[in-house]
Amino acid sequence: MMKNFLKTSDHSVSVLNGLVDSAVTFKSARASARPLAGKSVALVFFNPSLRTRASMQVGIYELGGNPVILEPGSTSWSLEHREGVVMDGDKTEHLKEFVRVLERYVSAIGVRTFAELKDWQVERTDPILTAFADYAAVPVINLESAMHHPCQAMADMMTIREKLGTERKTVLLTWAWHPKPLPMAVPNSFALAAAQFGHDVRIAHPKGYDLDSDLLAEIKSQASTSGGTVEFTNSASEAFDGVDVVYAKSWGGSRFYGGTEADIAHRAQFRNKWIVDDAKMAQTNEAIFMHCLPVRRNVIVTDGVIDSPQSVVVDEAENRLHIQKAIMSELIK
Ligand code: CP
């Protein structure tokens, strides 16, 4: 039985495939069970959201439950998560009391807490999400942390299966130029889940934008277990050759953490080179185009690609609802 849903690699591929099966049933409207009847689920948002917030809120409602949305530092008290600190600064409440009080009211806690892109060695440990999981007796669901976005990755795996079937595919994760550095949670979780599901994963990015070394080791290990492969390229054009799936996402380089201006200056050379356009899509095996959204049009991807029949970004976003219903039904008993 699952205790938390923090990253896909905490769970076996058979469990993950079972969640996709369940999500497909929810999507086909064949599931009428209301496992959350009489229960409440807290959704704690340290950062903005459209898809995650709306799909979790609707999903909890459709499962018969009641969502309780909290925004620390805005509509609820600001939170300190570090152990042993003297709280004489701007934080009003400690996460220990926040969690221990909240779980007297709710059956699970979902948490969104982005990387601040300040201190790589700290953020790669996912400190806020980890504190929630440590203090909570009820299940914790990661709604995007510094390192992982597992609900997004599961919706992505469901979308690949829905569009291309269950066979092993060649899946490209490509970095894209963006005016400012962004967190790595989405690319981390997509590559990890694709490796777990046995796809051949190609990761493309300019030099200096490698994913975390420990995470890459985990991705390679998962691929070796599942029968898939992992390869890397620094070529923006060759990356697209023959792939079945193009997954675009921008992220910041870990070596630039705490130095946003240096990252912005370094990445300037990649503008208009690392963009998904018709020419690159023409090199693929009639690939589907995926992005977690929100996306900057004509920066990450051209209008021509995102508006083409190959683009599945809206179906991908819809699948967040179905997979999260599957996850919550499994977690909250
Ligand atoms: N993809 C995703 O998590 O979207 P939101 O940031 O809008 O929730």
Side-chain angles (χ1 to χ4, degrees):
M1 191 175 147
M2 294 196 295
K3 160 69 174 78
N4 296 318
F5 200 74
L6 305 181
K7 58 177 180 163
T8 57
S9 58
D10 290 339
H11 310 286
S12 69
V13 74
S14 80
V15 166
L16 300 181
N17 266 314
L19 290 172
V20 175
D21 292 342
S22 170
V24 169
T25 305
F26 276 117
K27 187 166 186 174
S28 68
R30 279 181 278 130
S32 56
R34 292 165 69 82
L36 300 192
K39 295 179 178 171
S40 294
V41 177
L43 302 174
V44 183
F45 281 89
F46 289 83
N47 310 100
S49 166
L50 165 63
R51 281 143 289 272
T52 306
R53 182 169 170 155
S55 60
M56 285 297 290
Q57 200 167 357
V58 169
I60 292 163
Y61 168 78
E62 290 183 358
L63 293 175
N66 171 54
V68 178
I69 296 182
L70 298 161
E71 299 158 308
S74 172
T75 54
S76 67
W77 302 116
S78 59
L79 289 180
E80 175 61 66
H81 67 278
R82 294 167 298 170
E83 286 278 355
V85 294
V86 177
M87 289 176 57
D88 59 357
D90 61 346
K91 299 289 167 36
T92 310
E93 182 155 40
H94 201 279
L95 202 59
K96 282 187 185 179
E97 283 73 53
F98 179 91
V99 167
R100 289 168 180 168
V101 169
L102 200 52
E103 68 187 13
R104 299 286 175 100
Y105 312 141
V106 303
S107 299
I109 303 173
V111 186
R112 164 160 286 201
T113 170
F114 288 168
E116 291 182 281
L117 305 174
K118 286 182 181 163
D119 185 336
W120 173 241
Q121 291 308 326
V122 170
E123 291 186 28
R124 68 192 292 279
T125 67
D126 250 341
I128 299 177
L129 179 73
T130 303
F132 269 92
D134 286 348
Y135 301 140
V138 297
V140 174
I141 304 170
N142 183 355
L143 302 179
E144 189 173 349
S145 64
M147 285 296 282
H148 289 282
H149 197 352
C151 294
Q152 179 66 55
M154 288 298 293
D156 298 336
M157 295 306 112
M158 177 182 175
T159 306
I160 292 172
R161 179 165 128 182
E162 182 177 70
K163 301 296 178 187
L164 302 175
T166 54
E167 297 299 307
R168 172 179 173 179
K169 299 294 169 196
T170 303
V171 168
L172 168 65
L173 167 65
T174 178
W175 187 90
W177 181 83
H178 184 282
K180 60 181 184 182
L182 299 176
M184 296 180 188
V186 167
N188 286 349
S189 285
F190 177 79
L192 183 58
Q196 283 186 271
F197 276 77
H199 295 299
D200 293 318
V201 182
R202 190 177 298 168
I203 301 175
H205 55 76
K207 286 182 182 161
Y209 290 91
D210 306 69
L211 298 178
D212 178 61
S213 56
D214 286 354
L215 183 93
L216 286 174
E218 190 175 17
I219 290 169
K220 288 176 193 167
S221 164
Q222 292 287 352
S224 136
T225 303
S226 67
T229 60
V230 187
E231 62 178 334
F232 302 89
T233 178
N234 297 131
S235 165
S237 55
E238 290 168 16
F240 287 70
D241 288 344
V243 301
D244 303 302
V245 174
V246 172
Y247 198 101
K249 186 72 184 79
S250 193
W251 64 87
S254 56
R255 70 182 167 129
F256 296 114
Y257 260 56
T260 300
E261 293 309 317
D263 192 332
I264 290 170
H266 182 75
R267 64 179 49 215
Q269 63 190 299
F270 305 123
R271 183 166 192 170
N272 298 325
K273 293 185 184 137
W274 286 81
I275 182 172
V276 181
D277 58 16
D278 286 330
K280 293 196 184 89
M281 290 300 287
Q283 294 170 230
T284 69
N285 181 28
E286 299 181 352
I288 55 171
F289 172 78
M290 302 181 71
H291 189 283
C292 62
L293 305 180
V295 69
R296 293 193 184 214
R297 282 171 171 256
N298 303 308
V299 170
I300 304 286
V301 57
T302 61
D303 282 339
V305 172
I306 197 169
D307 290 331
S308 75
Q310 285 166 274
S311 172
V312 300
V313 296
V314 176
D315 291 331
E316 185 184 351
E318 180 192 332
N319 286 340
R320 294 288 306 278
L321 170 66
H322 309 301
I323 199 74
Q324 288 157 192
K325 285 169 78 173
I327 293 165
M328 286 189 282
S329 299
E330 190 61 36
L331 269 182
I332 305 166
K333 301 291 185 189

